[in-house]
Amino acid sequence: MTIPDKKLPKLTIRQQAELVLRLPAEDRAQFLLEAPKPMALVRALPDSDFYLTVREIGPQGALPLLVLASASQIAHLLDLESWRKDRFDPLRSGAWVALLVEAGDATILRFARTIDDETLILLFRLWAKVRPLDIDHEELTKGHGITEFGDERGFISPDGANLFSPDRTEHALAVRRLAEALYVDDADRFAGIIRSALFELPSEVEETAFRWRASRLEEHGYPTWDEALSIYAPPETATPAPPEVPLAALQIDREALAAPRSALRVFGPTALIVHAVDGMSSEDRERVLFSLMALANRVLVADGAHAGSVETHTSVLERAGAYVGLALESRGIRDGAAAAPILIEVSAVELFREGYALAVALQNRARIMLKTGWGGGAAKVEELIDPPLRARVRALLLARPLYVAFSDVEEAAAARDFRTLAEIDETKITLELCEALGETLLTRRRVTAADLLNDERLPFEDTPRFSTLLLTALAWHAIRGELRVDRLPTEVVADFLRTTASRRTADPEAPARAMSRLVEALEADAELARRPAATLRAFGTTCLDRLATDCANLDPGTPVTPRVVGCLRLA
């Protein structure tokens, strides 16, 4: 997306900000710096979007943007970058302060005047490593001998009473410039900060600084951890969603955007939510976009994710958009015009809970199947499930249920959040198949999962999977007319190869006919409903490929061992 230069003077700052936030990071930065009024445009960006822009293009590339940034944008950047959960990270915070120093005196002064004293106390104590200057009163003529440039002991603070000795020598200039800016701007404040850095307990200062940070982040939609956890509560039992944000609380500057636009960029131009938002009035758009960002921030806090990571912010936005979109689809919404009134009237939190509840229902079903159903709570019971079904079931068993699209290699399948009702239904079919397999091959045969997993195996024999059990049942049924999954004796295997499995002696259509008869018998025995029966039939067809790979070219008189035939349970 490019915007001709001649069009820029005709656009308001707000319109330019709307356009720039749809661009990729590098184009965004170029647009911001080459705009007719770059400072006004940069400061028109919501704090969250400014932060993501800086992080996406990298610290050094963002230096010109820091020169133009507002005090609240800089404070938000440091709030997210300086903390690892509830612990202050002095080196990382100090590295950003050093970058602010490079941006010039005005930038570092904006930061120093805006940030709370406790954060500065932590910086001077843990990053600058301030300590009192020891003066030898017996050597009045010689003095301490330390200049402002310092030596191996450190360098003198602006008040001449203390030493700074940061761990990283490349940060020395930044420490000096920050101290000088504070001292010149407000000597009394500087003295109080240094005194606290020297004598107050760091743990108490850190706790107070963390509360100040939490207060600032709350204005950007970051709740406390306890409040954030309610995002995953079922809709009918959840605490009420937070009230809608009044527009007056968002509208700080008429030229500035009130709500972050990151969601629109992450969702992509074709997303249903984006089409809905683009068709809203200005006021409704601000409320909905702020609601979506607040939702993503609740997810971030609830998941205990790292707030100082672009990847984290992208992933929580994707999760928020996925389940809000899923809720809209479950309500029958298919286009932006229909979605807009729902997004305006129903909070993003409530929509997220609706969509997420669909995934949780699948998760609960999988857990019941493996713990109290045919799985019986056996350790590693999911190993009985064939890939790629196994990957899909395992993804449901995670702390947050995820979706896996089938692939040729199980390890290559990346688990992600559910996005559509079709994916919900696909996974439901997978569970129905696993339930049908467990019912027909284990429960009805009076075999437990623990029996199979703890069975003493022959050399080269793998853990039996459902496909192994079904093909073993195929051999029993084809030769003896019995529904069994016990280990196959030699004579049954030989007859099975001769009459059914080996292409050298059997009709090529024999395996399919035998499987069809077996599945009909299993369906009738377990009284399966139509859809589980259909999935069982389809699974049986795929198992024939495995049977053909192992047995199609074997001579019926060949000694059969697990090394040769892995698809059958051999005695």
Side-chain angles (χ1 to χ4, degrees):
M1 175 180 177
T2 57
I3 297 91
D5 292 344
K6 61 184 179 181
K7 281 192 175 183
L8 290 181
K10 299 178 183 179
L11 300 176
T12 65
I13 294 296
R14 187 186 185 88
Q15 290 170 331
Q16 291 179 44
E18 286 275 10
L19 288 173
V20 72
L21 288 176
R22 304 289 182 100
L23 299 175
E26 295 297 333
D27 295 339
R28 203 182 317 147
Q30 183 178 354
F31 188 108
L32 289 168
L33 296 175
E34 294 179 359
K37 297 180 179 179
M39 179 175 284
L41 182 55
V42 168
R43 295 187 178 187
L45 304 184
D47 294 350
S48 299
D49 286 319
F50 175 80
Y51 166 74
L52 290 176
T53 299
V54 168
R55 291 289 282 110
E56 285 169 358
I57 64 178
Q60 290 302 323
L63 188 59
L65 297 180
L66 294 175
V67 176
L68 304 172
S70 68
S72 65
Q73 288 172 332
I74 293 172
H76 189 60
L77 170 68
L78 268 292
D79 279 338
L80 294 180
E81 288 294 302
S82 299
W83 295 81
R84 294 297 174 267
K85 295 188 177 179
D86 59 348
R87 299 308 303 273
F88 185 73
D89 187 338
L91 283 179
R92 190 173 180 88
S93 182
W96 281 102
V97 171
L99 198 63
L100 295 178
V101 167
E102 285 188 53
D105 293 341
T107 303
I108 195 63
L109 196 57
R110 281 200 300 278
F111 163 72
R113 287 175 174 173
T114 304
I115 206 68
D116 54 278
D117 286 0
E118 283 73 18
T119 296
L120 292 173
I121 291 168
L122 291 173
L123 278 168
F124 279 113
R125 182 183 179 96
L126 304 175
W127 175 56
K129 298 292 179 68
V130 63
R131 68 179 190 273
L133 178 63
D134 295 326
I135 299 178
D136 189 346
H137 296 286
E138 299 300 321
E139 301 182 9
L140 297 177
T141 58
K142 294 183 179 179
H144 51 70
I146 303 176
T147 68
E148 63 174 357
F149 297 104
D151 55 23
E152 68 278 359
R153 292 170 289 177
F155 55 91
I156 296 292
S157 63
D159 59 5
N162 299 282
L163 275 177
F164 295 129
S165 53
D167 290 335
R168 297 188 178 179
T169 55
E170 63 268 27
H171 287 170
L173 176 61
V175 171
R176 181 183 296 115
R177 293 278 295 278
L178 173 63
E180 289 171 350
L182 271 172
Y183 183 73
V184 172
D185 188 56
D186 190 336
D188 290 339
R189 183 189 181 203
F190 175 81
I193 288 170
I194 295 299
R195 185 166 55 252
S196 296
L198 290 172
F199 302 115
E200 289 190 20
L201 288 175
S203 58
E204 294 181 0
V205 176
E206 186 177 49
E207 184 178 348
T208 304
F210 185 72
R211 286 201 298 268
W212 281 113
R213 172 190 184 252
S215 177
R216 289 190 295 269
L217 289 182
E218 189 175 0
E219 297 175 4
H220 292 84
Y222 289 84
T224 64
W225 187 70
D226 290 336
E227 293 172 342
L229 279 181
S230 68
I231 193 65
Y232 290 115
E236 62 274 11
T237 62
T239 56
E244 291 294 339
V245 180
L247 189 65
L250 296 175
Q251 201 72 11
I252 300 171
D253 183 346
R254 289 186 177 183
E255 285 296 320
L257 297 179
R261 264 54 178 174
S262 309
L264 302 180
R265 197 167 57 251
V266 171
F267 298 164
T270 61
L272 178 65
I273 296 175
V274 175
H275 286 302
V277 169
D278 284 342
M280 294 177 185
S281 67
S282 178
E283 292 186 5
D284 288 335
R285 185 185 304 118
E286 295 304 319
R287 286 195 183 94
V288 170
L289 287 174
F290 189 87
S291 179
L292 287 169
M293 180 56 73
L295 165 64
N297 291 340
R298 287 169 73 92
V299 173
L300 185 152
V301 175
D303 289 350
H306 172 33
S309 163
V310 175
E311 291 76 15
T312 294
H313 286 273
T314 300
S315 66
V316 296
L317 277 170
E318 289 174 343
R319 171 167 288 185
Y323 288 113
V324 170
L326 196 55
L328 291 173
E329 188 181 356
S330 70
R331 288 173 174 235
I333 305 300
R334 296 293 183 270
D335 60 73
I342 301 297
L343 289 169
I344 293 169
E345 296 167 10
V346 184
S347 74
V349 170
E350 284 303 316
L351 290 172
F352 179 91
R353 287 169 176 160
E354 283 184 25
Y356 185 70
L358 298 176
V360 170
L362 296 176
Q363 182 188 56
N364 292 337
R365 186 170 177 175
R367 287 175 173 172
I368 290 171
M369 176 180 71
L370 298 182
K371 290 185 181 297
T372 61
W374 59 258
K380 299 182 180 180
V381 66
E382 67 273 13
E383 290 185 5
L384 298 178
I385 304 172
D386 290 78
L389 303 175
R390 184 193 303 150
R392 183 169 281 181
V393 172
R394 279 178 172 168
L396 285 177
L397 299 176
L398 298 172
R400 309 287 184 224
L402 298 177
Y403 168 76
V404 170
F406 286 156
S407 63
D408 293 333
V409 182
E410 182 180 359
E411 289 75 17
R416 58 168 174 80
D417 289 299
F418 289 86
R419 296 172 184 165
T420 65
L421 284 180
E423 294 172 355
I424 292 286
D425 201 48
E426 282 178 29
T427 307
K428 190 180 296 182
I429 290 172
T430 296
L431 293 178
E432 289 173 354
L433 172 58
C434 292
E435 289 166 348
L437 290 168
E439 174 67 18
T440 57
L441 300 177
L442 298 182
T443 305
R444 290 280 174 169
R445 311 283 76 82
R446 300 184 184 278
V447 176
T448 68
D451 292 337
L452 295 172
L453 293 168
N454 299 328
D455 184 24
E456 230 179 277
R457 295 186 186 88
L458 299 171
F460 306 105
E461 186 179 45
D462 296 327
T463 301
R465 309 195 303 254
F466 276 131
S467 60
T468 308
L469 298 177
L470 187 63
L471 291 173
T472 300
L474 179 66
W476 279 112
H477 191 259
I479 303 305
R480 301 276 181 89
E482 301 175 0
L483 295 179
R484 299 172 59 179
V485 293
D486 309 60
R487 290 185 177 276
L488 294 163
T490 304
E491 62 273 14
V492 173
V493 175
D495 288 346
F496 179 60
L497 290 176
R498 179 175 52 80
T499 63
T500 308
S502 175
R503 289 178 184 167
R504 298 188 179 189
T505 55
D507 179 355
E509 299 301 320
R513 289 196 300 268
M515 181 61 75
S516 179
R517 290 193 294 268
L518 170 65
V519 172
E520 287 177 3
L522 291 173
E523 291 173 12
D525 180 63
E527 299 179 347
L528 295 180
R530 181 181 299 176
R531 197 159 92 161
T535 62
L536 182 60
R537 188 173 297 276
F539 182 75
T541 301
T542 62
C543 289
L544 292 178
D545 293 335
R546 188 179 176 203
L547 178 68
T549 300
D550 282 11
C551 301
N553 295 318
L554 291 181
D555 187 279
T558 303
V560 177
T561 66
R563 184 198 288 268
V564 178
V565 176
C567 67
L568 301 173
R569 294 188 73 209
L570 304 174

